[in-house]
Amino acid sequence: MFEVEDTDLAGRIGRLTVGDKELETPAFLPVVHPFRQEVSAAELKGMGFGAVMTNSYITKRKWGEEAVRRGIHDIIGFDGIVMTDSGGYQALIYGEVKVDPVSIAKYQRDIGSDIAVVLDLPTGYPASRERALFTVRETLKAERKTLKAVTERPPLLVGPIQGGAHEDIMARCARAVAKMPFDVYAIGSPVEIMNGYDFDVLASIIRVAKANLPPDKPVHLFGAAHPLTIPMAVAMGCDLFDSASYVLFAKQDRYMTPTGVRRLSELAYLPCVCPVCARSSPEELAALVPRERTRALALHNLYLLKSEVEGAKQALKEGRLWEHVAQKARSHPKLFTGTMRMAEGTDQLMEGTPVSKQKAIMLFDRLDYIRPELVRYRDAVSKRWMPTSRRLVLLVVSHVDERFFAEVPEMLACASAGGFDLCLFREFFGVVPLELYGTYPVSQSLACEVTDAQVLERSVKDAIAILSKKGFREATVISEEGMLPLSSELAAALRAEVRPIRRGHVAALKEFASSLRVH
Ligand SMILES: [Zn+2]
């Protein structure tokens, strides 16, 4: 059972129940080798990981029936939730896997796996269309066969989705798998994509898969625990991630940081206060014998990944997941590109974004221009705001503060007396009808004072587009003197006259209202 408790963007805090065990999501499941564990499964439990992933294919080859008698929890030494993979990834790396989907699914059930994965054939990346079509066909065939033959099911059964970077093939696969009665859906093959930093491809894959999956089911992202991508994947609605990256990177002396992965030899300092880093220096770690060094780095990487997941969850709870993802986007230009790609999926992101939030939204630059709250706001003004008159007054001021806010009622009284509609031009929002001034997110936003040329340009364009279709017969731009160049641009597009503000906004509006009465 999966219950969603909180949402922001397309991300959610959820509760996944497996028998008598529970897991709060989003959750990172460290991959543990069935018998070669640099960090033991029991230690992982102690670090707060409630679930791990292990490989049933390797388990079967090593223990066979013994694992059925003892159970997978005893084999790996973990009493939390155990998810088992079926060997699909081995197929990708080593070619053919000598198991069939039905027997490996039954084996996972028989060893007591809490979450079992149907054997899939990962598409890989890059991959030709032919390869993608072939892997999707094979994966779907395995899924149908497994569902038919395994009537007594493991607690949760996972249906993988393949197709790689071929969006249409991925979409078709997701639609087909979505019709099958799986408990969890899993998005396949992102490992090579992430290793190549092709985060825009990753964002596209998640977006396409999510768009075609039932929203009430948990979604797993295979092999996806790169410190850079966790916030984005959480924001796009991935609930579970597994990865062996913590130990694979450790074996190559690679140290995870919140902004990327570094070689230990590059580090002059350890920018972390986990139990490993708090007690050592890069030199001390480098001096350890390889096995101990791998273990130390693996532990650090685990702490780092855990804090990445917790950080994203905390941001989600606060309604600041967008800010969190946007901040992370600055870690790497390719991640920024990926985040822009994520933001293009506005409809998905909008769905989970509350219509109003406790905390103010923060606005910095062009990435924020397309955040869901603003897209939703501009769309509402464009489609639903109805002017009460045929005369528009557009106010252009350099910045809006508490004093301006306090004067809004008086300004609206002028508008009502003069028989015109009063709007404010505002960066990011485009146009703000002043009667909507107190509504979210107009009054609950913090924008930086430095103008971003691209944001200004788009705000002007959107303001003109919205106002042009409201049926105004006459328009006047009332402008602070410092804003006259911008006001002239707006006025030209709206065929409006420009009146400068000389003694405050209210005085200018009163003057304008009385000039109307004279005529
Ligand atoms: Zn550390």
Side-chain angles (χ1 to χ4, degrees):
M1 203 174 69
F2 181 61
E3 273 175 288
V4 173
E5 292 178 350
D6 229 322
T7 64
D8 194 17
L9 305 180
R12 57 250 188 121
I13 304 268
R15 199 158 290 283
L16 184 65
T17 311
V18 193
D20 58 353
K21 295 171 200 154
E22 255 190 11
L23 181 68
E24 191 183 271
T25 63
F28 162 51
L29 286 65
V31 170
V32 295
H33 195 276
F35 53 92
R36 270 200 314 267
Q37 299 175 357
E38 280 77 6
V39 178
S40 76
E43 280 176 284
L44 291 171
K45 189 83 192 291
M47 291 170 78
F49 292 102
V52 296
M53 168 84 116
T54 195
N55 190 295
S56 65
Y57 175 67
I58 297 172
T59 304
K60 192 173 186 206
R61 279 203 322 199
K62 165 97 177 169
W63 280 287
E65 287 305 301
E66 189 191 334
V68 175
R69 282 193 302 277
R70 285 172 55 195
I72 189 67
H73 296 80
D74 184 53
I75 292 278
I76 64 167
F78 189 76
D79 61 3
I81 292 172
V82 176
M83 180 171 180
T84 47
D85 199 358
S86 53
Y89 189 66
Q90 275 67 29
L92 179 68
I93 302 297
Y94 309 114
E96 287 307 296
V97 166
K98 290 178 194 60
V99 285
D100 85 285
V102 172
S103 67
I104 197 70
K106 284 184 175 165
Y107 185 75
Q108 291 178 76
R109 176 198 65 200
D110 294 343
I111 60 176
S113 168
D114 297 298
I115 309 176
V117 179
V118 173
L119 180 70
D120 59 339
L121 187 56
T123 305
Y125 176 80
S128 66
R129 275 191 79 79
E130 289 67 35
R131 162 84 190 166
L133 286 167
F134 171 71
T135 55
V136 164
R137 239 183 351 255
E138 289 298 306
T139 298
L140 291 175
K141 206 162 40 173
E143 287 172 325
R144 291 197 182 102
K145 225 167 122 183
T146 306
L147 283 169
K148 199 163 164 230
V150 186
T151 44
E152 192 191 320
R153 283 168 63 147
L156 296 183
L157 191 59
V158 183
I161 297 153
Q162 294 296 341
H166 300 277
E167 290 186 21
D168 57 323
I169 301 175
M170 167 72 84
R172 221 183 311 157
C173 183
R175 278 196 293 275
V177 181
K179 287 192 196 122
M180 302 181 200
F182 289 112
D183 308 295
V184 178
Y185 296 93
I187 304 172
S189 302
V191 178
E192 296 95 337
I193 295 170
M194 289 196 300
N195 289 345
Y197 276 41
D198 291 333
F199 301 128
D200 54 336
V201 178
L202 178 68
S204 294
I205 284 181
I206 300 174
R207 195 175 77 196
V208 167
K210 285 285 295 187
N212 291 288
L213 289 174
D216 56 337
K217 291 284 176 71
V219 171
H220 181 93
L221 190 60
F222 275 129
H226 192 287
L228 290 184
T229 56
I230 286 174
M232 185 172 91
V234 167
M236 297 190 78
C238 297
D239 307 294
L240 302 165
F241 319 88
D242 75 279
S243 179
S245 60
Y246 69 98
V247 63
L248 297 178
F249 285 2
K251 283 178 179 167
Q252 302 162 351
D253 287 344
R254 290 165 81 198
Y255 178 98
M256 292 182 181
T257 80
T259 54
V261 184
R262 308 278 189 279
R263 300 207 169 275
L264 182 58
S265 57
E266 293 171 353
L267 293 176
Y269 307 95
L270 297 178
C272 170
V273 290
C274 81
V276 174
C277 302
R279 281 188 247 111
S280 19
S281 66
E283 295 76 24
E284 282 164 340
L285 288 183
L288 293 173
V289 296
R291 240 186 99 235
E292 280 176 34
R293 187 167 63 243
T294 296
R295 187 181 140 75
L297 289 173
L299 281 169
H300 157 79
N301 288 343
L302 282 165
Y303 281 114
L304 191 278
L305 290 170
K306 185 168 154 52
S307 87
E308 284 298 315
V309 175
E310 304 283 300
K313 283 164 75 175
Q314 178 59 28
L316 191 158
K317 274 270 183 217
E318 288 177 1
R320 288 260 169 91
L321 192 50
W322 177 275
E323 280 82 351
H324 187 74
V325 173
Q327 204 175 358
K328 185 63 100 177
R330 266 72 183 181
S331 304
H332 197 283
K334 285 193 158 194
L335 188 61
F336 192 90
T337 312
T339 308
M340 291 294 280
R341 182 70 60 85
M342 173 198 90
E344 287 163 15
T346 312
D347 288 350
Q348 274 178 33
L349 299 182
M350 209 131 61
E351 224 155 84
T353 304
V355 285
S356 100
K357 292 177 172 179
Q358 291 285 320
K359 285 195 189 292
I361 59 170
M362 295 186 181
L363 305 171
F364 300 88
D365 60 17
R366 66 191 175 122
L367 182 57
D368 301 314
Y369 194 79
I370 48 176
R371 63 178 292 161
E373 293 91 341
L374 290 187
V375 174
R376 180 151 59 197
Y377 167 81
R378 290 190 297 261
D379 196 51
V381 173
S382 170
K383 292 190 182 133
R384 296 208 298 276
W385 173 61
M386 308 279 267
T388 54
S389 74
R390 291 300 180 89
R391 188 187 289 271
L392 165 72
V393 171
L394 182 62
L395 206 53
V396 181
V397 300
S398 61
H399 75 279
V400 171
D401 54 15
E402 288 298 310
R403 240 184 71 204
F404 181 90
F405 188 63
E407 287 176 348
V408 167
E410 216 178 330
M411 290 190 255
L412 284 172
C414 290
S416 150
F420 55 83
D421 278 276
L422 182 57
C423 292
L424 173 74
F425 170 77
R426 209 168 153 194
E427 276 175 57
F428 288 103
F429 295 89
V431 51
V432 179
L434 268 198
E435 69 263 30
L436 299 181
Y437 202 79
T439 60
Y440 182 87
V442 182
S443 56
Q444 290 97 336
S445 64
L446 298 165
C448 65
E449 300 278 327
V450 184
T451 297
D452 176 312
Q454 209 178 0
V455 168
L456 182 61
E457 193 183 310
R458 293 184 70 175
S459 307
V460 167
K461 219 176 114 206
D462 280 340
I464 292 168
I466 290 171
L467 291 172
S468 300
K469 61 173 202 182
K470 294 294 182 185
F472 290 114
R473 290 225 184 90
E474 276 170 280
T476 305
V477 175
I478 295 188
S479 168
E480 279 181 7
E481 302 216 33
M483 303 300 284
L484 283 171
L486 172 65
S487 297
S488 305
E489 190 186 337
L490 286 160
L494 297 167
R495 284 195 285 262
E497 54 150 353
V498 182
R499 293 171 73 105
I501 297 172
R502 300 197 198 282
R503 291 174 298 114
H505 314 116
V506 177
L509 285 167
K510 277 187 180 155
E511 208 174 279
F512 177 69
S514 61
S515 80
L516 292 177
R517 280 195 293 275
V518 172
H519 289 304

